[in-house]
Amino acid sequence: MANTIADRVYRDKYRSATLEKLLRNALVTEAICEVDRSDIKRIQNPYGSQPSASVQALSGHYIVDDFTTTDEALDVTDEVIVAEHIFDFEEVMTNFNLFANRTEEQIYSIANRIDRYALNMLTEEADGAYTTPVGGFTDPVNIGEILSNLLSEVAGYSDVYKGLFLVIENTDLPGFMEYQTEKGFSFADAALKNGFYSSPMGVDVYVVRTGTFASETLGTKTYTNSGHRVFGVKNVATYASPRGIRWEEKRVSGKTGMEVVCYGYIGFKLWTPKNDLVVDITLA
């Protein structure tokens, strides 16, 4: 007797593989934050006050200081979701793979929203602050000064070895391109031959679409980040997505075809002891 496998099994396998592949490639959040996909809804991270050492003349005596402990936690309070209904005649009568197309489109939509959510949270919670010279990143004359000043904001901290990042929007890119093609021989040649060089001065630059940094409410969070960008040390913030992104396909009464829903639960936290390692950039 031959074994048979339902079409749904193949569809779920395709969806899972495509979803994880595209999400990991698309998300800036994955590159700059620690990611937790466990079932935990609340991640605890208590921290103590910073002790202060002193230098004194030889005496053998000391003063005992008190210290305090602060409870801090990441709570998963929001979800990201997109849903569509594909009628049976739409899939049957199209000249391309409608199922694969909607899978990829929904994944892109989910990735875009997750990045928007996490990057705005990161910017909002950053303790570091920097205002660019007039013209911001669009003026190539400013790029060297901006990068130097941003590097000085986190220089000397032990966590810097984790790597540095800068997230800009696509409208900032022309200034970077002009700056790179004008600086040095090998640097300029590399930029002219290969296009945008993504790690000037050792800083990994990530480019997102215009409007990612916004003043709006997403889920339970409200941001005021229009005209802002963000810089800092990698992996000092945590993005939580319990069980990752999931997909449901279901029949709906009164309609042919299937309703498809892509969703996930999300939370984000820039841990207080590391707040100084992330800089909220205001464009002048």
Side-chain angles (χ1 to χ4, degrees):
M1 178 178 176
N3 292 322
T4 59
I5 301 177
D7 289 343
R8 174 65 183 271
V9 175
Y10 290 115
R11 289 158 76 93
D12 285 345
K13 185 175 180 180
Y14 169 82
R15 261 196 304 257
S16 178
T18 304
L19 187 142
E20 289 300 323
K21 175 180 173 230
L22 291 183
L23 273 182
R24 289 178 187 274
N25 288 343
L27 282 177
V28 173
T29 305
E30 297 269 353
I32 65 177
C33 299
E34 290 185 338
V35 181
D36 188 299
R37 289 193 175 85
S38 66
D39 291 348
I40 300 174
K41 182 183 185 299
R42 183 178 175 86
I43 301 174
Q44 297 287 143
N45 185 37
Y47 62 92
S49 56
Q50 186 68 31
S52 179
S54 61
V55 177
Q56 63 185 28
L58 290 171
S59 68
H61 296 280
Y62 54 85
I63 298 174
V64 179
D65 294 326
D66 293 330
F67 72 92
T68 59
T69 301
T70 302
D71 289 327
E72 187 177 32
L74 182 162
D75 289 305
V76 177
T77 58
D78 298 289
E79 64 183 2
V80 57
I81 190 164
V82 59
E84 296 177 317
H85 186 93
I86 302 175
F87 287 100
D88 184 70
F89 68 84
E90 291 178 321
E91 184 160 11
V92 170
M93 297 182 183
T94 53
N95 292 323
F96 64 98
N97 190 333
L98 184 62
F99 164 76
N101 171 264
R102 298 323 302 166
T103 296
E104 294 182 4
E105 290 292 340
Q106 287 197 2
I107 291 170
Y108 173 79
S109 176
I110 289 284
N112 178 270
R113 281 296 161 182
I114 290 174
D115 260 355
R116 190 162 178 150
Y117 173 89
L119 290 173
N120 278 286
M121 276 284 279
L122 185 64
T123 307
E124 197 74 19
E125 295 184 358
D127 265 3
Y130 174 72
T131 300
T132 68
V134 175
F137 293 105
T138 59
D139 188 341
V141 175
N142 293 338
I143 303 299
E145 179 183 347
I146 292 173
L147 290 175
S148 298
N149 287 329
L150 289 173
L151 286 167
S152 72
E153 292 277 341
V154 298
Y157 285 115
S158 59
D159 289 274
V160 171
Y161 77 91
K162 295 178 180 179
L164 301 170
F165 70 87
L166 170 65
V167 184
I168 60 175
E169 293 187 352
N170 60 287
T171 51
D172 302 316
L173 202 52
F176 271 92
M177 298 292 287
E178 291 179 42
Y179 165 77
Q180 291 178 355
T181 55
E182 294 171 357
K183 297 295 179 185
F185 292 105
S186 61
F187 190 73
D189 285 347
L192 286 166
K193 291 178 181 178
N194 305 314
F196 175 55
Y197 175 62
S198 61
S199 298
M201 295 191 188
V203 178
D204 291 337
V205 180
Y206 299 91
V207 183
V208 294
R209 295 297 301 172
T210 300
T212 298
F213 293 93
S215 296
E216 62 183 356
T217 298
L218 290 176
T220 61
K221 314 299 182 185
T222 298
Y223 313 104
T224 53
N225 293 324
S226 181
H228 289 238
R229 306 292 184 264
V230 68
F231 163 86
V233 176
K234 293 182 178 181
N235 298 324
V236 297
T238 300
Y239 156 66
S241 180
R243 295 193 180 182
I245 304 299
R246 288 181 283 173
W247 194 301
E248 290 183 6
E249 185 175 309
K250 60 188 78 172
R251 295 197 178 277
V252 181
S253 176
K255 295 182 180 181
T256 63
M258 304 290 280
E259 182 178 280
V260 288
V261 184
C262 186
Y263 65 96
Y265 311 112
I266 53 176
F268 185 90
K269 188 69 178 177
L270 171 57
W271 303 106
T272 299
K274 307 295 184 180
N275 277 0
D276 289 337
L277 296 178
V278 179
V279 180
D280 176 3
I281 303 168
T282 301
L283 302 179

